[in-house]
């Protein structure tokens, strides 16, 4: 189980090695993604709270990266955080997520990205439910649900 200490360690000392890498040009990503998906995943944007299609979805399945289809989160660890974005307590695998320190907007946060293709997903915070205490706050536009 990943803890806040692990998150900080990854963001400072380097991330786990992904199983594979996917690299494309901006032109290739733009051809594949909707304008909103491109803005969020490739330009580090965010969607308005409570606007994402996956916010209130609780179907069983895997939440995969919209860019490269890497499994990121499982529906069994999704929870309603009340923040307006889909929230999870753990990634599906330790090396599915990449962590980077984010000091944009005068705040200190930890950005989470797909470790396979570097797609911006959202941020992780240490205010989630036990046992991990983590809240991965993820943009709906950065994921697709593969229902079971």
């Amino acid at each position: 189980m990943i803890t806040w200490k692990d998150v900080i360690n990854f963001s400072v000392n380097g991330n786990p090695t992904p199983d594979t890498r996917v690299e494309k040009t901006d032109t290739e990503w733009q051809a594949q993604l909707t304008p909103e998906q491109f803005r969020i995943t490739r330009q580090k944007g965010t969607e308005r709270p409570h606007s994402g299609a996956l916010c209130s979805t609780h179907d069983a399945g895997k939440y995969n990266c919209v860019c490269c289809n890497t499994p990121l989160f499982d529906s069994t660890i999704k929870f309603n955080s009340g923040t307006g974005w889909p929230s999870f307590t753990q990634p599906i695998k330790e090396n599915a997520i990449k962590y980077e320190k984010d000091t944009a907007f005068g705040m200190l946060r930890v950005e989470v990205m797909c470790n396979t293709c570097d797609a911006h997903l959202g941020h992780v915070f240490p205010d989630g439910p036990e046992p991990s205490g983590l809240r991965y706050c993820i943009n709906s536009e950065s994921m697709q649900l593969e229902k079971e």
Side-chain angles (χ1 to χ4, degrees):
M1 174 182 314
I2 295 175
T3 65
W4 184 245
K5 183 179 177 181
D6 297 322
V7 167
I8 297 303
N9 184 50
F10 289 142
S11 70
V12 172
N13 297 316
N15 288 285
T17 302
D19 293 340
T20 186
R21 288 285 300 156
V22 173
E23 296 183 20
K24 296 183 180 183
T25 66
D26 279 350
T27 303
E28 290 170 317
W29 288 123
Q30 283 178 311
Q32 174 185 327
L33 302 168
T34 69
E36 185 69 348
Q37 289 169 336
F38 182 82
R39 182 184 72 80
I40 290 170
T41 62
R42 309 322 303 179
Q43 298 177 323
K44 300 183 185 280
T46 193
E47 59 201 17
R48 290 185 339 274
H50 305 285
S51 67
L54 298 177
C55 228
S56 58
T57 299
H58 293 283
D59 296 330
K62 306 273 188 271
Y63 289 84
N64 298 342
C65 177
V66 73
C67 295
C68 67
N69 206 36
T70 296
L72 302 170
F73 300 100
D74 188 275
S75 62
T76 60
I77 46 84
K78 186 176 185 202
F79 71 99
N80 185 1
S81 65
T83 61
W85 289 275
S87 296
F88 304 87
T89 59
Q90 288 285 297
I92 205 162
K93 288 173 60 175
E94 181 178 276
N95 69 345
I97 302 295
K98 180 178 183 177
Y99 304 88
E100 285 191 4
K101 186 168 114 177
D102 178 2
T103 57
F105 307 109
M107 297 180 276
L108 178 56
R109 302 182 291 177
V110 177
E111 177 187 5
V112 290
M113 294 165 285
C114 173
N115 204 18
T116 299
C117 72
D118 297 337
H120 170 75
L121 304 172
H123 292 85
V124 61
F125 302 94
D127 60 2
E130 293 302 326
S132 74
L134 297 178
R135 174 175 54 94
Y136 288 80
C137 192
I138 309 297
N139 290 289
S140 284
E141 290 287 336
S142 65
M143 299 181 296
Q144 55 195 359
L145 175 61
E146 182 182 321
K147 293 182 183 179
E148 289 182 353

